[in-house]
Amino acid sequence: MRASLRRLAPRLVALAALTSAWLLPCTRAAADELPEYRLKAAFVYNFIAYTQWPDSTSSTLHICTVGEDPFGKELDGLAEKTISGRAIAIQRKGASRVLGDCDVVYVSPSAMRDLPRILESIKGRPILTIADSIDAAKDGIMLNMAVSQDRVTFEANQRAARTAGLVLSSRLLKLATEVSQ
Amino acid sequence: MSAPIGLRDQLLRVNRVAMWPAVVVIFVVTVGGSFSIGLFELMNTTQVQARVLADNASAAMAFRDEKAAGEVLETLHHSPQIENAWLFLSNGEVFGSYRRDSAAMRNAPMPEREDGVQLHALYLTQSQTVSAPGERVGTFQMRVGLAGLYRQTALVGATAFGALLLATALYARLLRRLIVAALNPIQALTDVVDEVHSKSNLAARASGSHIFEIDRLSKGFNAMIERIDERDRRLARLAYFDKLTGLPNRTAFLERIAREVSLCDRSGRRLALLFMDLDGFKQINDTLGHDNGDEVLAMIAERLRRELRPSDTAAPAAPFELDDSMARLGGDEFTVLVSQIESVQNALEIAERLRASIAQPFVLEGRELAISCSIGVAVYPDHASDAANLLKHADTAMYQAKRSGRDTTHLYTATLTEQAMQRLEMDTSLRGALARSEFSLVYQPQIEVATGRVRSVEALIRWNHPDKGMIAPVNFIPLAEENGMIAAIGRWVLDAACADLVHWRAQGLDLRVAVNLSPRQIQDKRLVEDVREALARAGLPADRLELEITEGAVVDDFSHAIATLTQLRSSGIRIALDDFGTGQSSLSYLMKLPVDVIKVDRSFISRLQEDRLSRSIVEAIMVFARALGAGVVAEGVETYQQLSILQHLGCPLIQGYYYSKPVAPELIPELAACAWSAPLHSSKAAHRLVTQLAQGA
């Protein structure tokens, strides 16, 4: 995990220079020139889009980050969007483990050590869990992103999602590099 | 105008012309409709495909999964008409593209902003927004070739064309058959019309038809033909028969002659034509009235019928149709055709028998009436070479029978025709004679025995014919009476005589001029007027003119003649009765005539010397004249002896060659200047002669 961070380090530097451009859809910048977390933020958004909650009556969808937030401002951009008529709110929980009011929980690489406890705290609740650490899907994360050949990919843990009462769209599953049942 | 075309062809032509627009419309609608439907379906299909694809590709695009997008695009190869397809990201970047193997390499177009289809000649483009559940992620656009649609349309067009061609051919064939069937009754009707028209077959009838109009036409046509037929028959009856006698008329008879002539040509036998004309029938009409005249004609027809009835006829034995062997040609002319005779003699025998039959007295209103007739006979082929000539020659022969004293039968001879020709020639030249000034007058003086002076001259007309020389009145006056020239000639004579008289009077000669009137002139209603005008023009006193008439001239219409003569006489004109003693009139009849002078006929004068009776007659005439208060002139005195006897009998005026033949007007003054000797006063020999004759008688 460290290694991958190291590998991404030069890009993160470049990303800082280009933060202002990220929300402009018409920007003619090439995909692989986009900063990794901008892409990952978009993935998060799409994950939400292809996921069905058993009860989605509340007007706001809460995205919580656990641990050190690697997105920076990229994730804040989502807060300006809506999805299926629901507003998006970002809550950075840091070290807090009170996740009951979250709809989506992103577990940052820095909080991976604490993953079993985090999962335990939200067990049985319809909360979509997202991470971008190696083998996170095996450990119970529903959607785990990775970077492969300059592309962002993801694996899905359908069993975990089903246990939580969430339905992942088949289209989403079709794009996953690996789906564990 | 071009020749008329048949109804069938016209109907076929009309149908052909009327059919083509329909065929074209069907073709256009079929092809156009096929194309439209094809295009519509294609657009629908394309739209659905685009939606499905956009939907399928949405997740791939949302997650920027080009590989997955490529797989989705590859599914397009199931639709052969899709040539190219592109997926554009929202920023316009090409995310994925698809090219059919057969399609050309194409650069990606600019993505359309709007969803929908854009139609081009050879292809269409379909744009479709690609939306992930959250938001729009890009645009799908594809290019669909229309070649397939065109091919399909062309196939439909070719099929429609073939089908229409086949349908038209079948239609035309069926139509022709139906039209021919429908026109059959009209064709039949036309044939009947032709039959009636070209062959004059009025027996032809059109048959009925199951087509209402044609049936009406046929029935109407039949009715029309029947009426025409009936009318023709009626007209034929009218045209071929004489109403009065019931005999065939001239038209029917001419046809009959023509038929008989051709029969004779085959049988080699003879055909006689008897041409009968009643003698003096005009008088019967005039005296008994036209109704009685008609009755006489009917009785004559009946008598001819009876005489010619085959059962009553002993000879010739050859039978012939009674009804059209006889005919009334008009007026009092009857004709009889005797066919199949052996010789000319047979024909003459029949003619004589007919004449004898007519000669039997007729009883009309209780009175007996004797009628004679003249018959001319001509025989085919002896006297004529055809029907027309046969009739003409029989007519000529009849005319000759009339001229030779009526009540006789005359057989045609070729010379008759020559005479007729001469008469015709004469007739023609006579008609122009006045205009050519071919007439002249000569005058014969009448000498008063007592004084030896010329008291009067008789004007005598001469015709100086350019070819025949001088022609005497007896040779042309009858002709002039026949052709009506007599009236004009009479007026000319009057004027010329008056003019000469005026001339003489200017030379101091107090003469009277005598002018002859023909019977026709006396009947002329304008005579009195003409005479008075002539005198007025010449400025002559009326008593200087003497008009000579014969008794024959007044018998035709006695009362009118008397009236005319009385009128003339009342204006001072003297009337002389010419040729006295030769007529058949009774004395009582003659006594009624208003006459100033009686001219003793030359026939009595010429026999004075040898015939005591003639002398007595002349004496009697003078007594008669004296009783009437009329003067006497002896005509045709040629010898001294005649003159002496007349002088002895006390005849006051003498005319004749003894003194002078008729001379030209220029010589009259010279003759008038002479004092002619009175022989009896100076010659004892003459006196003796007269006494001798008186004793001898």
Side-chain angles (χ1 to χ4, degrees):
Chain A
M1 187 180 226
R2 242 171 250 260
S4 83
L5 272 177
R6 259 198 313 276
R7 195 154 45 92
L8 288 169
R11 290 174 183 251
L12 290 169
V13 176
L15 179 130
L18 291 165
T19 37
S20 59
W22 116 263
L23 279 176
L24 301 172
C26 287
T27 310
R28 300 286 296 167
D32 44 352
E33 281 172 17
L34 285 172
E36 181 187 340
Y37 275 93
R38 182 183 293 179
L39 269 175
K40 283 183 176 173
F43 265 54
V44 168
Y45 177 84
N46 283 321
F47 288 154
I48 297 166
Y50 286 100
T51 300
Q52 199 183 332
W53 273 262
D55 173 31
S56 51
T57 49
S58 68
S59 60
T60 308
L61 190 132
H62 298 275
I63 301 174
C64 306
T65 61
V66 179
E68 203 175 308
D69 178 12
F71 287 96
K73 286 189 176 174
E74 301 293 354
L75 202 57
D76 293 330
L78 295 184
E80 293 164 20
K81 294 190 179 185
T82 58
I83 192 157
S84 306
R86 303 168 79 187
I88 295 174
I90 311 293
Q91 292 177 23
R92 290 183 173 81
K93 297 285 187 179
S96 167
R97 297 298 176 259
V98 184
L99 302 171
D101 57 342
C102 299
D103 294 298
V104 178
V105 169
Y106 168 74
V107 181
S108 80
S110 67
M112 280 307 286
R113 259 172 292 167
D114 207 17
L115 181 63
R117 218 163 47 86
I118 295 169
L119 289 177
E120 186 60 31
S121 69
I122 60 170
K123 186 178 180 181
R125 306 188 65 166
I127 297 171
L128 181 68
T129 53
I130 301 171
D132 54 350
S133 304
I134 295 166
D135 290 339
K138 271 179 212 142
D139 295 339
I141 286 293
M142 294 171 192
L143 294 164
N144 182 35
M145 296 180 279
V147 174
S148 155
Q149 294 165 5
D150 297 341
R151 285 173 45 119
V152 175
T153 63
F154 67 92
E155 41 189 6
N157 186 336
Q158 202 188 356
R159 184 169 38 83
R162 208 180 290 135
T163 308
L166 298 176
V167 178
L168 300 181
S169 163
S170 63
R171 293 188 179 177
L172 183 66
L173 295 175
K174 226 158 98 184
L175 296 173
T177 49
E178 199 181 322
V179 178
S180 53
Q181 294 293 327
Chain B
M1 201 177 127
S2 56
I5 73 164
L7 190 51
R8 191 194 67 183
D9 291 343
Q10 177 63 22
L11 282 175
L12 286 173
R13 184 188 287 183
V14 164
N15 248 292
R16 265 203 301 279
V17 171
M19 192 172 67
W20 280 117
V23 167
V24 168
V25 165
I26 289 174
F27 183 77
V28 167
V29 166
T30 306
V31 173
S34 162
F35 181 78
S36 302
I37 291 169
L39 185 61
F40 183 71
E41 276 181 358
L42 182 64
M43 278 159 63
N44 266 349
T45 310
T46 308
Q47 192 179 24
V48 170
Q49 277 177 328
R51 280 180 186 158
V52 168
L53 193 124
D55 199 36
N56 287 341
S58 61
M61 283 187 79
F63 292 99
R64 299 293 192 273
D65 190 334
E66 290 172 358
K67 187 166 155 273
E71 281 167 9
V72 172
L73 283 174
E74 268 314 305
T75 60
L76 293 177
H77 80 264
H78 294 299
S79 300
Q81 72 271 25
I82 298 171
E83 295 173 348
N84 298 81
W86 297 273
L87 284 165
F88 300 96
L89 292 173
S90 298
N91 60 7
E93 201 179 317
V94 177
F95 181 69
S97 69
Y98 163 82
R99 179 173 72 87
R100 185 160 194 77
D101 298 340
S102 55
M105 288 289 266
R106 287 190 181 88
N107 289 326
M110 286 294 288
E112 296 292 335
R113 290 235 158 265
E114 302 282 327
D115 285 1
V117 70
Q118 283 204 329
L119 207 51
H120 300 269
L122 295 174
Y123 63 96
L124 59 83
T125 57
Q126 175 78 46
S127 303
Q128 178 65 46
T129 305
V130 182
S131 296
E135 60 182 359
R136 173 192 164 118
V137 290
T139 305
F140 171 67
Q141 194 163 318
M142 64 182 183
R143 173 187 164 116
V144 179
L146 296 180
L149 178 63
Y150 285 133
R151 256 198 312 280
Q152 180 192 329
T153 307
L155 189 65
V156 168
T159 310
F161 185 75
L164 281 173
L165 219 57
L166 187 66
T168 349
L170 286 174
Y171 172 74
R173 209 189 175 120
L174 186 64
L175 183 74
R176 175 178 289 265
R177 204 177 281 177
L178 289 175
I179 284 179
V180 166
L183 289 182
N184 263 341
I186 291 184
Q187 186 60 49
L189 191 57
T190 314
D191 288 346
V192 173
V193 172
D194 275 353
E195 173 84 8
V196 169
H197 173 248
S198 59
K199 296 184 188 160
S200 301
N201 178 9
L202 289 178
R205 289 292 181 275
S207 53
S209 165
H210 65 284
I211 296 171
F212 177 66
E213 284 81 1
I214 295 174
D215 195 49
R216 271 177 64 190
L217 201 57
S218 300
K219 283 183 178 143
F221 179 77
N222 284 346
M224 204 165 72
I225 293 301
E226 256 153 46
R227 285 176 63 177
I228 290 175
D229 193 18
E230 203 180 288
R231 198 186 56 195
D232 277 7
R233 284 175 208 273
R234 204 175 62 237
L235 283 179
R237 273 198 301 280
L238 289 177
Y240 284 99
F241 286 91
D242 167 45
K243 250 164 62 181
L244 176 62
T245 59
L247 291 179
N249 64 10
R250 173 182 287 271
T251 314
F253 190 68
L254 286 174
E255 287 178 14
R256 165 77 177 181
I257 303 175
R259 277 202 305 279
E260 287 294 337
V261 160
S262 58
L263 276 179
C264 281
D265 287 342
R266 265 172 274 163
S267 67
R269 302 189 69 153
R270 289 183 160 85
L271 175 70
L273 203 163
L274 277 49
F275 200 112
M276 171 193 289
D277 190 286
L278 303 182
D279 297 330
F281 182 69
K282 185 180 182 304
Q283 268 144 290
I284 294 177
N285 256 347
D286 289 351
T287 54
L288 302 178
H290 284 279
D291 288 348
N292 284 323
D294 285 351
E295 200 170 320
V296 167
L297 289 174
M299 286 194 290
I300 284 173
E302 189 46 46
R303 211 172 269 194
L304 289 176
R305 264 198 200 102
R306 208 175 56 216
E307 195 60 41
L308 289 167
R309 195 162 290 148
S311 57
D312 296 346
T313 315
F320 48 84
E321 184 107 4
L322 168 72
D323 271 349
D324 50 357
S325 69
M326 304 162 43
R328 179 176 171 226
L329 293 199
D332 56 343
E333 291 175 343
F334 292 89
T335 48
V336 175
L337 203 57
V338 188
S339 53
Q340 308 262 323
I341 56 165
E342 294 291 348
S343 68
V344 173
Q345 193 54 39
N346 287 149
L348 289 177
E349 282 164 17
I350 293 170
E352 280 308 303
R353 211 171 68 230
L354 292 180
R355 224 161 52 72
S357 166
I358 300 296
Q360 302 291 314
F362 289 89
V363 177
L364 195 67
E365 291 177 338
R367 285 163 58 188
E368 283 203 347
L369 187 67
I371 296 174
S372 67
C373 65
S374 305
I375 299 180
V377 179
V379 177
Y380 180 86
D382 304 65
H383 300 142
S385 56
D386 58 32
N389 271 322
L390 185 63
L391 183 65
K392 201 172 98 185
H393 291 169
D395 190 6
T396 309
M398 184 279 293
Y399 188 79
Q400 195 58 30
K402 289 265 186 205
R403 282 172 73 97
S404 53
R406 303 174 164 185
D407 195 14
T408 181
T409 299
H410 213 288
L411 185 66
Y412 172 80
T413 58
T415 46
L416 287 185
T417 308
E418 264 169 45
Q419 284 173 9
M421 290 291 287
Q422 277 175 9
R423 277 173 53 80
L424 189 68
E425 217 175 284
M426 191 95 144
D427 182 271
T428 311
S429 47
L430 183 62
R431 284 174 195 278
L434 262 183
R436 292 192 298 268
S437 308
E438 288 172 3
F439 294 115
S440 59
L441 289 181
V442 291
Y443 295 91
Q444 191 169 34
Q446 292 173 3
I447 312 292
E448 192 179 39
V449 178
T451 60
R453 287 285 173 183
V454 177
R455 283 284 170 240
S456 182
V457 289
E458 182 183 358
L460 297 165
I461 191 167
R462 292 289 182 270
W463 180 15
N464 190 9
H465 192 280
D467 301 329
K468 299 191 172 78
M470 277 301 177
I471 299 178
V474 70
N475 290 326
F476 69 87
I477 290 298
L479 188 60
E481 291 214 312
E482 271 175 38
N483 69 16
M485 284 294 293
I486 193 70
I489 293 173
R491 280 193 290 276
W492 179 84
V493 171
L494 266 174
D495 279 340
C498 287
D500 283 337
L501 187 58
V502 168
H503 192 61
W504 297 324
R505 283 165 68 88
Q507 296 176 36
L509 297 176
D510 184 24
L511 294 176
R512 182 177 287 138
V513 71
V515 173
N516 289 284
L517 288 186
S518 83
R520 277 283 291 272
Q521 277 178 286
I522 291 167
Q523 300 302 330
D524 189 349
K525 302 217 168 9
R526 287 179 50 202
L527 176 70
V528 177
E529 208 179 314
D530 283 348
V531 172
R532 282 178 183 162
E533 276 176 14
L535 285 172
R537 270 199 297 278
L540 287 172
D543 69 339
R544 294 294 89 188
L545 181 65
E546 193 169 278
L547 297 176
E548 294 193 6
I549 57 164
T550 62
E551 54 175 288
V554 296
V555 291
D556 277 351
D557 190 346
F558 190 67
S559 54
H560 175 73
I562 297 233
T564 305
L565 295 179
T566 309
Q567 262 185 293
L568 289 169
R569 204 155 165 251
S570 66
S571 29
I573 296 160
R574 287 160 62 90
I575 305 294
L577 192 57
D578 209 357
D579 303 341
F580 190 86
T582 58
Q584 295 156 359
S585 317
S586 65
L587 282 180
S588 65
Y589 178 85
L590 289 174
M591 273 166 64
K592 291 175 186 160
L593 286 173
V595 166
D596 299 289
V597 179
I598 287 175
K599 293 186 83 174
V600 182
D601 189 69
R602 61 181 68 242
S603 58
F604 301 115
I605 306 302
S606 63
R607 292 206 296 266
L608 270 181
Q609 283 164 268
E610 59 267 28
D611 188 351
R612 200 168 61 109
L613 184 61
S614 293
R615 206 186 132 206
S616 304
I617 288 171
V618 172
E619 245 182 318
I621 289 172
M622 287 199 290
V623 171
F624 179 72
R626 215 168 288 130
L628 286 179
V632 175
V633 179
E635 278 187 289
V637 178
E638 294 182 351
T639 63
Y640 177 74
Q641 283 85 353
Q642 289 165 356
L643 177 64
S644 302
I645 294 168
L646 287 168
Q647 198 173 21
H648 182 76
L649 292 175
C651 182
L653 286 162
I654 300 295
Q655 180 181 350
Y657 274 39
Y658 177 76
Y659 284 125
S660 170
K661 60 179 185 179
V663 297
E666 304 82 54
L667 297 177
I668 290 296
E670 197 181 320
L671 288 179
C674 298
W676 302 84
S677 60
L680 285 189
H681 292 293
S682 58
S683 165
K684 282 200 172 129
H687 181 71
R688 197 165 55 244
L689 182 69
V690 171
T691 314
Q692 206 177 327
L693 277 169
Q695 282 166 353

